[in-house]
Amino acid sequence: MVAQSSRYVAWSRLPFFIPLFLAGQQPAVDYFHHFWFNCLLGVYLLWSLVRLLWVHRRPVTGLRGAVATLIADLLIITGLAAAAGGQDSPVRYAYFAWPLATVLWQMPKVTAALGPVCMAAYAGMSLPHLLDDPTEASWPVVVDEVYVLWVTGVCTFIALLLGRRARAVSDLLDTRELLLDDALAAETRERSDLADALHDGAVQTLLAALHDLEEVESEAMRTGAGASAGSAALARAQTELRGTVKEMREIIFDLHPHILATAGLEAALRAAGDRFARRGGFAVDYDLRLPGRVGHEALLYSAARELLGNIVKHARASHVRVRLAVDDGTTVLTVHDDGAGFDPRVVRRRVKEGHIGLASHYVRVESAGGRFLVDSAPGNTTIEVRLPRGARRAAGGAG
């Protein structure tokens, strides 16, 4: 959050060039030096552009960087004010406005420290007037200094309140993420228990029945007692049992993909994509590039499985692309298909109506601090799931 705030401050610095430029267009006054003013104005513009580009690569997150930036700002502003007439220059209003920009940093100590620095800079800028006519110039300087002090105090208070509010929001988001982790972990345990129960119970029973049928067929062929109609019935029964066992094993894999825990997310996505491709009759291209294990692997896998399942059920697609990569600290899962498409507004509406499926994954992703982006049209549907890479725990666990 502090990193993003430093970018906001950098953006706010750039349009401040406009009032500074207009201040230099005033009629000539005493102590006004156009050449130095224009030079310093160019320095300010260049500094603002460089700082803007810099913070987008290396945001200011510490006290030292913030203080250094403010000192550079005030030095340039003090030079502009002195070159534009000092105490009589409209540039002096920058000292009243500058503490406002520091509020975005949400660093009350920085904002509070800015007050004395601004007052000292203002006094230095007014020094020529004070030396020339100390009687008339001193009182306006004192009044302006008090204004600067008051503005700094108010901005410090606002920065303190914003910081507390930001920490409260962050704590709520952390709590929500932990609750989501616990819910997904409980779901994973239940699915694992159900998969084990099916494997150890129903699948073993079906295999035993298939074995018995094979023994009956073998005995009938050995004794010659089996009629052709009976043999055909046995063959059909065996085929049905084999198909049922295969379906049960696929259900067990869907319930608890052991490959996610053992081989990782990439292998699990390939296995899931191949299974859904066989069911839906479409081709799948993979672009899976992960540097290692990431956070929220179970949630990413679950979302991919839901998206691929919807393609099988509704899209009537012939080609699907699955992409997985890390982009600027975020794990990005993208599923694209050339199917029928759908109205993206349906997702949010079905969330409000209490439906599960794709809508529930939308809520889960956002609860984990991620984003669920949908772009759909006939023949071109792209769904992107973005989740923080460095999560405290992989949501739901990976095993």
Side-chain angles (χ1 to χ4, degrees):
M1 185 173 293
V2 176
Q4 189 64 32
S5 298
S6 69
R7 297 188 179 102
Y8 294 152
V9 174
W11 277 107
S12 67
R13 182 185 290 109
L14 191 59
F16 201 69
F17 171 83
I18 298 176
L20 291 176
F21 173 78
L22 294 177
Q25 308 308 309
Q26 64 176 335
V29 296
D30 294 339
Y31 306 105
F32 195 103
H33 305 281
H34 287 279
F35 173 78
W36 290 111
F37 181 87
N38 292 331
C39 290
L40 288 172
L41 191 62
V43 170
Y44 178 85
L45 181 60
L46 181 61
W47 157 250
S48 300
L49 292 172
V50 170
R51 193 62 188 167
L52 181 61
L53 296 175
W54 180 267
V55 297
H56 275 274
R57 298 182 58 186
R58 296 185 180 180
V60 176
T61 57
L63 186 62
R64 181 182 300 178
V67 171
T69 301
L70 290 175
I71 291 176
D73 291 335
L74 287 175
L75 286 175
I76 298 175
I77 289 174
T78 300
L80 285 169
Q87 185 181 338
D88 297 330
S89 167
V91 178
R92 73 183 189 277
Y93 298 126
Y95 293 103
F96 307 107
W98 211 245
L100 296 172
T102 65
V103 173
L104 298 174
W105 263 324
Q106 299 178 23
M107 295 181 181
K109 293 181 179 179
V110 174
T111 305
L114 180 64
V117 176
C118 279
M119 294 173 68
Y122 190 93
M125 176 269 300
S126 305
L127 188 60
H129 289 264
L130 292 173
L131 295 177
D132 186 53
D133 191 355
T135 303
E136 292 188 10
S138 59
W139 185 247
V141 171
V142 171
V143 173
D144 286 347
E145 295 276 35
V146 173
Y147 273 125
V148 172
L149 186 62
W150 179 84
V151 170
T152 303
V154 172
C155 290
T156 301
F157 182 67
I158 295 174
L160 182 63
L161 293 180
L162 288 177
R164 289 180 177 178
R165 181 169 177 263
R167 286 191 294 272
V169 171
S170 179
D171 291 341
L172 290 174
L173 291 175
D174 291 343
T175 301
R176 186 176 69 169
E177 184 176 340
L178 290 174
L179 291 174
L180 175 66
D181 288 348
D182 292 339
L184 289 175
E187 178 185 339
T188 300
R189 289 193 298 270
E190 292 176 358
R191 294 168 71 95
S192 178
D193 293 341
L194 179 57
D196 292 339
L198 289 173
H199 180 270
D200 297 337
V203 171
Q204 300 305 319
T205 301
L206 288 172
L207 289 174
L210 180 60
H211 180 67
D212 291 340
L213 286 175
E214 290 174 347
E215 286 189 350
V216 170
E217 182 184 25
S218 178
E219 182 65 22
M221 292 179 63
R222 185 177 63 82
T223 60
S228 60
S231 297
L234 282 174
R236 287 196 300 271
Q238 290 173 352
T239 301
E240 292 295 331
L241 280 175
R242 290 191 180 96
T244 303
V245 169
K246 182 179 179 181
E247 290 178 3
M248 292 287 288
R249 283 173 171 164
E250 288 192 353
I251 292 173
I252 291 171
F253 187 90
D254 286 339
L255 286 172
H256 185 63
H258 296 279
I259 191 173
L260 179 60
T262 57
L265 183 57
E266 292 187 20
L269 286 178
R270 288 183 182 275
D274 292 344
R275 290 200 322 278
F276 283 108
R278 289 193 297 269
R279 296 179 191 175
F282 52 76
V284 185
D285 288 338
Y286 301 100
D287 182 12
L288 310 177
R289 292 173 291 174
L290 282 184
R293 303 305 288 259
V294 296
H296 299 298
E297 286 189 346
L299 183 54
L300 288 165
Y301 175 80
S302 179
R305 188 174 55 197
E306 180 67 27
L307 296 174
L308 292 170
N310 283 341
I311 293 175
V312 173
K313 296 175 185 176
H314 309 296
R316 301 186 302 277
S318 60
H319 189 268
V320 175
R321 291 198 306 270
V322 179
R323 180 180 181 271
L324 184 67
V326 174
D327 179 20
D328 193 22
T330 302
T331 307
V332 183
L333 169 69
T334 306
V335 178
H336 172 85
D337 70 83
D338 59 355
F342 64 96
D343 186 354
R345 292 173 295 180
V346 171
V347 179
R348 286 187 176 273
R349 185 168 67 247
R350 292 184 69 84
V351 171
K352 296 178 181 179
E353 294 172 354
H355 293 282
I356 58 175
L358 186 62
S360 69
H361 285 81
Y362 180 94
V363 174
R364 287 180 176 183
V365 168
E366 290 206 333
S367 298
R371 299 179 64 192
F372 199 103
L373 307 175
V374 179
D375 181 15
S376 182
N380 185 14
T381 296
T382 302
I383 298 182
E384 186 176 275
V385 177
R386 305 180 69 90
L387 282 165
R389 177 189 175 190
R392 295 174 187 82
R393 293 182 289 167

